Amino acid sequence: MATTSNMFLYSLTIQPPTNIVQAVLGQFAGTKEQLIITGSGSQLTLLRPDPAQGKVIPLLSHDIFGILRSIAVFRLAGSNKDYIILATDSGRIAIMEYLPGPNRFSRLHLETFGKTGIRRVVPGEYLACDPKGRACLISAVEKNKLVYVLNRNSQAELTISSPLEAHKPGVLVIGMIALDVGYANPVFAALEIEYTEVDQDSTGEALSEVETQLVYYELDLGLNHVVRKWSDPVDPTASVLFQVPGGNDGPSGVLVCGEENITYRHSNQDALRVPIPRRRGATEDPSRKRNIVAGVMHKLKGSAGAFFFLLQTDDGDLFKVTIDMVEDEEGTPTGEVQRMKIKYFDTVPVATSLCILKSGFLYVASQFGNYAFYQFEKLGDDDEELEFSSEDFPVDPLAAYEPVYFYPRPAENLALVDSIPAMNPLLDCKVANLTGEDAPQIYTICGNGARSTFRTLKHGLEVNEIVASELPGVPSAVWTLKLNSDEQYDAYIVLSFTNGTLVLSIGETVEEVSDSGFLTSVPTIAAQLLGTDGLIQVHPRGIRHIRNGNVNEWSAPQHRSIVAASTNAHQVAIALSSGEIVYFEMDSDGSLAEYDEKKEMFGTVTALSLGEVPEGRVRSSFLAVGCDDATVRILSLDPETTLENKSVQALTAAPTSLAIIPMDDSSSGGSTLYLHIGLHSGVYLRTVLDEITGELTDTRQKFLGPKPVRLFQVTVGGRTCVLGLSSRPWLGYADPITNSFEITPLSYVDLEWGWNFSSEQCEDGVVGIQGQSLRTLAKWR
């Protein structure tokens, strides 16, 4: 009997999806800082708004390997942390929390309730959570609704109940939210259409009599069941609901948004209606209907019952909606609604979600083009815009009224402070190498209407060049040095040429230094700040130690020269042309002491690496040695086993560069020691170096280009990274967003050498060599 097997593939996009389905705001880190979570396609992204810089900074991006349908945020009573509920096409409801320490999402609960896929009777299309964090309702487009009770157990851990059913056949759900009812039984509001009679009527007459109902579902916490509490007809065109604050903050209820009008509804209040103002102008089409497509409610600090809505039409116009309540003799709101008012606020790109931050910013997750981050200049209270009141318009949703108008104008209440790149929708693209680079570019057209853009995509990180200076010759290497370990900025730039060394001082201007103590008549192999205030220069004929104006010279043995060197703040290792390794260590008095024995290798040494001295230690424990026999060996530097072999790894080509660098590891939540290897063939390898045994394990490789690879340890954005140079520059780093190690090309010219650089003008940069040019780079993205 023949058997068949199916293969299921999951595709990952070149760029993460940028069409945001929903954006929510909350205190997910357990602090007072508000963070934004966006869901787009299968991607869940955590953003940190930075009020000081006026930027939105991505902190974490996680692929849920499914289709995200809706997101809700809740907080348990007495807690200071918000949790996230996800509804996807998995047929499951997931509760997650953000852990700021390891910078990741943690799944707390995953409850299965239905089949996978986006089906009209499987809940997931609508998700609403009680403002007090006591329950959530997840609903399908048709028939099925499930309510989950959220609570704590005796260990103060979040728990979720078995689902309570609130099913009703023959019902289509258009919108759903949770009401703010304080600590009364949780209530959920839904816009529903009953189609039972329509389904059975072949004449079509029943269709004209269909009503849209606003329905309240109440969860009785005492009896633990859900009842259909109240329903009433609303505007047949209604499509969106917004929660009105309740309890001590407002009258509770909902705003029901339909074509051309917004209605306030609640089970114990009279309805109020205001029209959606139309644009005044020659291009205005009187037959076109306006709809509310997005909105946000914001409570003001300091006074109970002070809140407002910003509601957006499909033109992008924002309208400020306020609700006035009846006050008693002492001026305290009674909870009874008196009137509703609407006025034009500003115009921003049409959004899928709007988020107002307490710090005075508005995040706009645009439907088309770049997302926007605005700062509130004012709240539009004292402007001259016309305000329209519900007292002037009939409540009956079918009653006619005269349209009201406003004049659109440039934004006055909002100021754009940041534009976050987004490519949705992508309309067309072509792949071509128009610039003659080693990789083709992607040329795209995307956006919509006046926000359409033509964009070029290149694989690489954007680099900002600070300065490029021509040199008198072609240098082979460059280093930067501080004169004292306590200094914040570099003092010297050391350049090595084939016939000499040039030392430049860093200040307001860069000038040549003649009294540095460096030997300028020979090329330099390595330069290093040794100890607190000593400088080391390694050249082919020896080692020069400069300290307090005194120079101590160690000369290479006769008929032998130094071919490779590696240094750190306490150690120096050199390789002689005879294949011998000579090791030095700094004494307690700051002088450089040679180890008694030399280590003889089996071939010519092509690369060395000591790595930096770990914090709290006096030396680096290992020396990596690469030889032309295509091997790399790890030698011990412990006092009892100095220069003894610890491990060896065979390579596919001779190593040209080695770098022992500890880097962040997302799997362990700490730091892992890696040996980075660059080969003559253009291949880069990263292998784990065991900090105890010196064993090399878990080797990963990547081809960087046809030229031999050189590796350098650099600091970018406060993180330790590895700079790999071949036919183009690459940056290896632990990505805090994806929690993985990334090796990404830089969108820049090919460099022959690179080194860390820090000055008052450029605190976090890299200085590099390209031909006869010295270049300073910064502002990596």
Side-chain angles (χ1 to χ4, degrees), residues 326-552:
V326 177
E327 298 179 349
D328 58 19
E329 296 178 355
E330 297 178 356
T332 304
T334 61
E336 181 183 349
V337 178
Q338 183 177 12
R339 71 178 68 87
M340 182 167 57
K341 297 180 289 187
I342 187 171
K343 64 188 296 189
Y344 174 61
F345 189 77
D346 265 341
T347 299
V348 299
V350 179
T352 55
S353 293
L354 300 170
C355 298
I356 296 179
L357 283 73
K358 294 178 181 178
S359 53
F361 290 87
L362 173 68
Y363 177 75
V364 179
S366 310
Q367 290 185 5
F368 311 107
N370 292 352
Y371 311 132
F373 194 51
Y374 291 90
Q375 184 171 16
F376 282 93
E377 299 287 327
K378 52 184 180 177
L379 294 178
D381 295 327
D382 303 321
D383 55 21
E384 298 180 356
E385 291 292 336
L386 287 175
E387 192 169 53
F388 306 99
S389 172
S390 59
E391 296 173 328
D392 302 325
F393 298 92
V395 174
D396 184 0
L398 300 179
Y401 62 87
E402 287 295 321
V404 296
Y405 294 90
F406 74 98
Y407 287 97
R409 52 162 170 73
E412 292 181 356
N413 301 306
L414 297 171
L416 181 66
V417 293
D418 192 19
S419 182
I420 302 103
M423 298 186 64
N424 57 294
L426 184 63
L427 303 176
D428 196 9
C429 73
K430 290 290 183 291
V431 179
N433 192 357
L434 303 183
T435 57
E437 300 178 12
D438 59 350
Q441 305 85 46
I442 301 175
Y443 298 90
T444 69
I445 50 173
C446 51
N448 174 268
R451 306 188 76 226
S452 299
T453 54
F454 173 76
R455 306 190 186 206
T456 303
L457 301 182
K458 297 171 67 176
H459 183 213
L461 296 172
E462 184 180 348
V463 177
N464 184 27
E465 182 180 273
I466 302 298
V467 66
S469 307
E470 289 298 313
L471 297 170
V474 178
S476 57
V478 62
W479 299 268
T480 57
L481 293 174
K482 296 177 182 177
L483 295 182
N484 193 291
S485 58
D486 297 329
E487 293 180 355
Q488 182 179 358
Y489 302 121
D490 294 320
Y492 287 164
I493 296 177
V494 180
L495 292 158
S496 176
F497 298 85
T498 56
N499 58 353
T501 295
L502 178 64
V503 181
L504 304 174
S505 66
I506 304 171
E508 294 183 3
T509 60
V510 177
E511 299 176 349
E512 184 177 352
V513 178
S514 58
D515 59 350
S516 64
F518 274 62
L519 195 61
T520 58
S521 59
V522 295
T524 299
I525 298 175
Q528 173 74 45
L529 172 66
L530 190 73
T532 304
D533 54 1
L535 297 180
I536 286 288
Q537 179 192 17
V538 181
H539 54 85
R541 297 301 308 152
I543 303 174
R544 196 172 177 87
H545 185 194
I546 307 148
R547 187 180 180 212
N548 298 328
N550 300 318
V551 177
N552 294 316

Side-chain angles (χ1 to χ4, degrees), residues 113-337:
F113 55 75
K115 296 180 180 180
T116 60
I118 299 178
R119 309 166 189 262
R120 64 181 187 175
V121 294
V122 176
E125 187 65 25
Y126 303 103
L127 179 62
C129 199
D130 173 58
K132 301 300 181 185
R134 298 169 297 171
C136 69
L137 186 149
I138 184 168
S139 170
V141 174
E142 183 179 343
K143 180 184 176 181
N144 294 328
K145 301 179 186 68
L146 297 172
V147 175
Y148 290 89
V149 178
L150 306 168
N151 214 327
R152 284 195 185 97
N153 60 17
S154 57
Q155 286 77 40
E157 297 171 333
L158 175 66
T159 61
I160 185 171
S161 71
S162 298
L164 304 174
E165 296 182 353
H167 304 335
K168 183 174 174 58
V171 166
L172 292 176
V173 179
I174 301 172
M176 178 171 291
I177 60 161
L179 264 68
D180 187 351
V181 292
Y183 286 100
N185 281 332
V187 178
F188 301 92
L191 284 174
E192 297 181 351
I193 297 177
E194 290 198 33
Y195 67 87
T196 306
E197 294 183 5
V198 177
D199 212 23
Q200 298 171 353
D201 179 23
S202 59
T203 64
E205 293 180 4
L207 181 62
S208 60
E209 300 175 359
V210 165
E211 291 183 334
T212 301
Q213 299 271 339
L214 175 64
V215 184
Y216 281 5
Y217 291 90
E218 181 180 6
L219 167 62
D220 192 316
L221 293 174
L223 300 176
N224 201 35
H225 74 273
V226 184
V227 296
R228 188 181 171 100
K229 182 181 179 181
W230 174 78
S231 66
D232 203 42
V234 293
D235 187 340
T237 64
S239 58
V240 183
L241 295 175
F242 291 98
Q243 176 196 99
V244 176
N248 297 326
D249 297 320
S252 190
V254 296
L255 294 186
V256 182
C257 301
E259 284 185 353
E260 294 288 307
N261 72 94
I262 301 165
T263 308
Y264 167 77
R265 297 300 307 268
H266 196 29
S267 57
N268 61 356
Q269 302 263 347
D270 293 332
L272 302 172
R273 186 169 72 142
V274 292
I276 300 174
R278 297 183 178 187
R279 291 187 172 192
R280 175 80 74 179
T283 59
E284 172 62 23
D285 181 3
S287 64
R288 188 169 74 86
K289 306 293 185 181
R290 265 54 171 200
N291 286 282
I292 298 296
V293 295
V296 61
M297 183 272 296
H298 183 67
K299 297 178 184 178
L300 298 171
K301 296 180 182 178
S303 57
F307 60 90
F308 66 88
F309 296 84
L310 287 184
L311 304 183
Q312 187 182 45
T313 65
D314 41 11
D315 289 329
D317 299 323
L318 285 176
F319 294 94
K320 183 178 180 180
V321 176
T322 55
I323 294 177
D324 292 340
M325 289 184 285
V326 177
E327 298 179 349
D328 58 19
E329 296 178 355
E330 297 178 356
T332 304
T334 61
E336 181 183 349
V337 178

